[in-house]
Amino acid sequence: MSRDRYVDFLRAWAIVLVVLGHWLITALVREPDGRITAPELLATVPWTQWLTLAFQIMPLFFLAGGHAAGGSWSRARAAGGTAAGWLGRRALRLLLPVGVYSSLVLLAVGICSVAGVDAGTLALVGWAMAMQFWFLPVYLLLSALTPALHAAHRRWGLRVPPLMGAVALVADALVVTVHAPYVGLLDYVLVWGVAYQLGFCWRDGLLTGRRLVPLGMAAGGGAAFAALVALGPFPVSLILVTGQNPSNTDPPSAAMLAWVVAQAGLCLLAAPPVRRLLERDRAWRVVRPVGAASMTLYLWHMLPVLAVAAAFYLTGLAPEPPLGSAAWWGLRVPWLLVLGVVLAGVVSALGPLERGLAVLYERTSPDAGLRRAWPLWLGLAMSVAALGRLAVRGFAPDGRLPVLPAVGLALGTALVMLTGWSSARRLEQPEAGRAPERV
C-alpha cells in the first residue's frame, strides 16, 4: 500500500504547531538579582487561553498514529509477525532517540549541579526540557494495546470509539465529583485512545464513506465542547494552567474528548483538498523533511529557548516590555524567528547522531516473529513508568538528579534493545545439524 501523504502532513503540521505554541507562550523575565524566571502567560494574561484552541493539536498525533499503526499491524499480521515483534520495533524507534536526549540532558544537569547552579533555576530548566514527555508513555501504552484495540476494531468497527468515550466520561465524572485522581489516569489512555481508534476507522474507510459523518463529528464535537465550557465546570484552556481545577489535560477531560472528536472531523473534511495540494512535488518537498525530523523537533525544540535565554536574558540584552503588552507581542515575531534559526542549527548538528541511531536501530530491533518476549514487556513497563515520572517532575526536581527515573529509562531501553539483539543472534545461528544457507 502506498504511503498516505496526508497522514505524514498531519504529523508535520502537528509538530510545527506544538513547537510554535510552546515558543509563543514561553515568557522570560530577568529578575534584579540576575535570575531568569518564566511567568505563566496563560495564567497571567487569561485571554490567551483561547489561543490553545488553535495550538492544542495532539488529537492529530494520535489520529495519524492510529491510521499508521492500523496499517502497520495489519501488514505484520498478514506476514506472520507477532505482537511482540511489531511492538518491539515501534517502541525502540521511540526509545533510542529519547534515551540519547535524556542522557545528554541529565549529563548537563549533573554538570550544572556540580558547578553550583541555583537549584530553582536548575529545576525550571529541567522541567522545560521534559515538558513534552507526557506524550511518550501514553503513545507507548497505546502501541502496546494496538493488537487488542485493532482486534476490537475488526469485530465491532465504529462502535468501539463511542464505548471508549463513554467509559472516559464516567472516569472523568469521578475525577470531577469525588476527586479520584488515580481513576483519572485511565483517561490518558481512553481519551487519546478514542483518537487512536478513530485512526483505525479512518484508514478502513468507515468515516469517509459519507460526508455527513465527519461533518457531524466536527459540529457535534464542537457544540459539546462549547456547552461543557459555557455550562459545565471545564475551562476553555486546552493546555494545563496552574491553579485551574478541573483541568482539560491533567487528566484529559470530557471537554478534551469533545475537542478530539471535533478536530478529527475537521481533519477528515480537510483531507480531499489537502491531498490534492500534496500531490504537487513542490508542496511535498516542504512537508517531507519536517515529517522526517518530527521526533528530533519534538524532543529538542526547547533547547533553543535556553540558548536564547543565556545569550540575551542573562546578559541583559533582551528588551523586556510588560508581559502581554502590545510591545511584548510585537517582539514575539523576532523571538520566533531567532528560535527557528537556532533550532535549524540544532537539527543540522544532530544529523550524524541521527544517522548513528538509525544504524543502531537496524542492529538491535527485534525480529518481526519474536516470541520469547518477557524482557521486552518488562523493559517497556520500566520505560513507561520512568517517562511518566520525568514528565511530571522534570529532569531536575528540586534541583537534584532524578536517579530512579533515569535508571529506569536506561534499564528499560536496554531490555528492549537486548530483546532485539537476542532475536537477531538466534536468526544468525543455524539449526542443529543443519549447515547455514549460502547467500
Side-chain angles (χ1 to χ4, degrees):
M1 180 183 234
S2 61
R3 193 176 184 91
D4 191 331
R5 289 186 174 186
Y6 185 56
V7 174
D8 289 341
F9 164 78
L10 291 180
R11 289 170 170 164
W13 178 245
I15 195 64
V16 167
L17 285 186
V18 166
V19 171
L20 289 178
H22 284 168
W23 286 354
L24 185 66
I25 66 173
T26 298
L28 301 176
V29 174
R30 187 176 189 270
E31 303 292 348
D33 61 2
R35 293 184 301 111
I36 304 298
T37 59
E40 193 174 353
L41 178 67
L42 298 179
T44 307
V45 187
W47 71 263
T48 58
Q49 295 179 27
W50 288 92
L51 297 177
T52 65
L53 273 66
F55 287 99
Q56 178 49 275
I57 209 74
M58 295 310 294
L60 293 188
F61 265 121
F62 289 101
L63 181 70
H67 187 289
S72 175
W73 172 235
S74 295
R75 291 189 294 273
R77 286 179 61 248
T82 63
W86 178 85
L87 175 61
R89 298 176 74 86
R90 289 181 73 84
L92 196 60
R93 195 177 293 276
L94 281 177
L95 290 175
L96 283 178
V98 169
V100 171
Y101 171 83
S102 300
S103 299
L104 293 175
V105 174
L106 288 168
L107 177 61
V109 167
I111 292 172
C112 290
S113 180
V114 171
V117 174
D118 174 71
T121 300
L122 204 54
L124 176 62
V125 170
W127 171 82
M129 296 300 283
M131 62 185 293
Q132 70 275 39
F133 267 29
W134 73 267
F135 166 81
L136 299 169
V138 178
Y139 198 81
L140 285 171
L141 280 174
L142 287 173
S143 295
L145 293 171
T146 293
L149 292 175
H150 200 262
H153 162 73
R154 293 194 306 272
R155 183 167 183 176
W156 294 297
L158 275 175
R159 285 174 286 181
V160 179
L163 178 60
M164 293 175 68
V167 178
L169 290 176
V170 172
D172 191 48
L174 292 174
V175 171
V176 173
T177 57
V178 300
H179 308 292
Y182 291 106
V183 174
L185 293 176
L186 291 173
D187 276 340
Y188 282 99
V189 174
L190 290 170
V191 172
W192 299 120
V194 167
Y196 195 77
Q197 199 80 18
L198 287 172
F200 297 161
C201 298
W202 175 28
R203 180 183 179 274
D204 289 347
L206 301 181
L207 301 176
T208 53
R210 292 181 295 175
R211 186 175 176 82
L212 287 178
V213 174
L215 188 61
M217 292 170 61
F225 176 81
L228 288 166
V229 170
L231 305 175
F234 301 103
V236 70
S237 178
L238 291 169
I239 296 176
L240 180 65
V241 178
T242 301
Q244 278 189 349
N245 188 29
S247 163
N248 283 329
T249 59
D250 186 25
S253 68
M256 180 62 81
L257 176 61
W259 193 252
V260 164
V261 175
Q263 197 170 96
L266 290 172
C267 167
L268 297 175
L269 290 172
V274 177
R275 278 198 173 104
R276 287 193 294 270
L277 178 63
L278 293 172
E279 289 174 0
R280 304 175 183 176
D281 289 340
R282 182 176 299 179
W284 182 239
R285 282 198 296 268
V286 174
V287 172
R288 185 176 183 179
V290 177
S294 60
M295 193 62 181
T296 305
L297 294 171
Y298 188 78
L299 289 175
W300 292 92
H301 72 273
M302 290 304 289
L303 180 61
V305 174
L306 303 183
V308 171
F312 294 98
Y313 283 86
L314 284 178
T315 58
L317 294 175
E320 295 190 47
L323 183 64
S325 66
W328 187 86
W329 284 107
L331 286 171
R332 292 286 91 180
V333 175
W335 164 260
L336 294 176
L337 291 175
V338 170
L339 292 177
V341 170
V342 175
L343 182 58
V346 170
V347 172
S348 178
L350 290 171
L353 178 60
E354 295 291 322
R355 290 188 288 273
L357 286 177
V359 173
L360 182 61
Y361 170 79
E362 292 301 326
R363 292 180 177 177
T364 58
S365 58
D367 173 58
L370 176 67
R371 297 191 180 279
R372 185 186 174 190
W374 70 263
L376 169 68
W377 297 109
L378 177 60
L380 187 64
M382 294 175 68
S383 299
V384 166
L387 289 169
R389 188 65 173 173
L390 289 171
V392 172
R393 304 204 63 196
F395 283 108
D398 303 319
R400 298 190 298 268
L401 281 171
V403 177
L404 286 179
V407 172
L409 180 58
L411 289 179
T413 304
L415 282 170
V416 176
M417 292 177 63
L418 179 63
T419 302
W421 181 81
S422 298
S423 64
R425 291 284 294 174
R426 284 197 300 273
L427 286 175
E428 292 173 1
Q429 296 295 327
E431 297 179 11
R434 177 182 170 185
E437 296 181 5
R438 296 184 181 273
V439 178

